[in-house]
Amino acid sequence: MNSPQTLLVIGIHREELAFGQAVAGGVDPAQVAVLEIPEGLSGQPPPIARRFQYEALHRALYLQLLPHVLNRHRLLVDLHSGSDPQLGADLICADPALCECLRTALAGGGHLAGAEVRVVPLGDESADLHARTIIPPQVWRNPAFLYLGLEIYLPGPADEWPAACALARELIAIAAGCAGRLDGR
Ligand SMILES: [Zn+2]
């Protein structure tokens, strides 16, 4: 298998594509393959009356990722971004061993100082109901690969992106390291 172990997907939400491109522009193509969604969905949920269609479109878009991942990659990183006064990140993962490895790696990492990084388990809490309704289980709970949702919280305009991009790339590298370690399970 010649593909990199990790596939980075950017632009599921179209408003977040520009940041995704900034992150993807700095990854090593030998380590991380990039899949850019040219016409993603809006990250802003519509009024409740149109929520059903919005969630159905999300599920359909996520299912289109499967042929890009299966038999090619071991780890799918689904990059998102939001805004927050403080630079930070959520690592959303369903696999308990991956969550545990990420927690351990983050506890030992000094490079992430200044950023608030949380590991959010997906799949067993009502708090993540929204994520579960828009991401089909074939994507977040597929025995053939690991899923990681990576949400980066951007504190300011685009000229403050370099630190956020560096954080995103470091977290992708940490996740790739975990995926490699878990591969022999
Ligand atoms: Zn998003």
Side-chain angles (χ1 to χ4, degrees):
M1 180 158 116
N2 296 319
S3 309
Q5 172 189 257
T6 302
L7 178 65
L8 173 64
V9 175
I10 61 172
I12 288 276
H13 291 145
R14 56 176 179 258
E15 304 92 337
E16 302 159 19
L17 178 60
F19 177 70
Q21 288 170 329
V23 172
V27 299
D28 177 358
Q31 302 294 324
V32 180
V34 176
L35 177 64
E36 179 174 320
I37 310 296
E39 293 181 49
L41 301 167
S42 173
Q44 301 300 317
I48 202 84
R50 282 185 284 129
R51 200 67 60 83
F52 181 82
Q53 185 195 24
Y54 177 77
E55 292 174 355
L57 288 169
H58 268 87
R59 286 192 291 273
L61 181 55
Y62 273 104
L63 288 176
Q64 288 178 44
L65 300 179
L66 288 175
H68 295 273
V69 189
L70 293 171
N71 299 317
R72 296 189 197 188
H73 306 284
R74 176 69 185 135
L75 173 67
L76 169 65
V77 179
D78 175 22
L79 180 65
H80 292 261
S81 55
S83 59
D84 193 271
Q86 198 201 335
L87 177 62
D90 282 347
L91 295 164
I92 302 146
C93 60
D95 186 285
L98 177 60
C99 288
E100 188 57 40
C101 182
L102 291 169
R103 278 200 196 91
T104 304
L106 292 170
H111 304 290
L112 304 166
E116 192 176 321
V117 180
R118 301 185 304 172
V119 176
V120 182
L122 178 64
D124 54 6
E125 287 164 45
S126 56
D128 60 40
L129 186 62
H130 180 65
R132 278 191 288 158
T133 55
I134 68 171
I135 307 174
Q138 296 99 311
V139 171
W140 64 262
R141 197 174 51 196
N142 195 309
F145 62 89
L146 295 161
Y147 171 85
L148 179 70
L150 175 56
E151 176 107 26
I152 301 288
Y153 297 99
L154 304 167
D159 59 355
E160 291 174 40
W161 280 2
C165 288
L167 174 66
R169 288 186 206 117
E170 174 150 18
L171 292 172
I172 292 165
I174 287 172
C178 283
R181 253 168 273 153
L182 298 175
D183 217 12
R185 283 184 300 173

Coordinates of all heavy atoms in Angstrom, one line a residue, residues 12-13 15-16 43 79-81 151, ligand 1:
I12 N -15.7 20.0 4.1 CA -17.1 19.5 4.3 C -18.1 20.6 4.5 O -19.2 20.7 4.0 CB -17.1 18.5 5.6 CG1 -16.4 17.2 5.3 CG2 -18.5 18.3 6.0 CD1 -17.2 16.1 4.5
H13 N -17.6 21.6 5.3 CA -18.4 22.9 5.5 C -17.7 23.9 4.6 O -16.5 24.2 4.9 CB -18.5 23.3 6.9 CG -19.3 22.4 7.7 ND1 -19.1 22.0 9.0 CD2 -20.5 21.7 7.3 CE1 -20.1 21.2 9.4 NE2 -20.9 21.0 8.4
E15 N -17.7 27.1 4.4 CA -17.1 28.3 5.0 C -15.8 28.1 5.7 O -15.0 29.0 6.0 CB -18.0 28.9 6.2 CG -19.5 29.2 5.8 CD -20.4 28.0 6.0 OE1 -19.9 26.8 6.0 OE2 -21.6 28.2 6.1
E16 N -15.5 26.8 5.9 CA -14.2 26.4 6.5 C -13.2 25.9 5.6 O -12.1 25.5 6.0 CB -14.6 25.3 7.6 CG -15.6 25.8 8.6 CD -16.4 24.6 9.2 OE1 -15.8 23.5 9.3 OE2 -17.5 24.9 9.8
G43 N -21.9 25.2 7.2 CA -21.8 24.8 8.6 C -22.8 25.3 9.5 O -22.9 24.9 10.7
L79 N -11.5 17.8 9.0 CA -11.1 19.1 9.6 C -12.3 20.1 9.5 O -12.9 20.3 8.5 CB -9.9 19.6 8.9 CG -9.4 21.0 9.4 CD1 -8.8 20.9 10.8 CD2 -8.3 21.6 8.4
H80 N -12.5 20.7 10.7 CA -13.5 21.8 10.8 C -12.9 22.9 11.5 O -11.8 22.8 12.2 CB -14.7 21.3 11.5 CG -15.5 20.3 10.8 ND1 -16.6 20.5 10.1 CD2 -15.3 18.9 10.7 CE1 -17.1 19.4 9.5 NE2 -16.3 18.4 9.8
S81 N -13.6 24.1 11.4 CA -13.1 25.2 12.2 C -14.3 26.0 12.7 O -15.3 26.1 12.0 CB -12.1 26.1 11.4 OG -12.7 26.5 10.2
E151 N -11.7 19.8 15.2 CA -12.3 21.2 15.1 C -11.4 22.1 15.8 O -11.0 22.0 16.9 CB -13.7 21.2 15.9 CG -14.3 22.5 16.0 CD -15.6 22.7 15.1 OE1 -16.2 21.6 14.8 OE2 -15.9 23.8 14.7
Ligands
ZN1 ZN -17.5 22.4 10.1

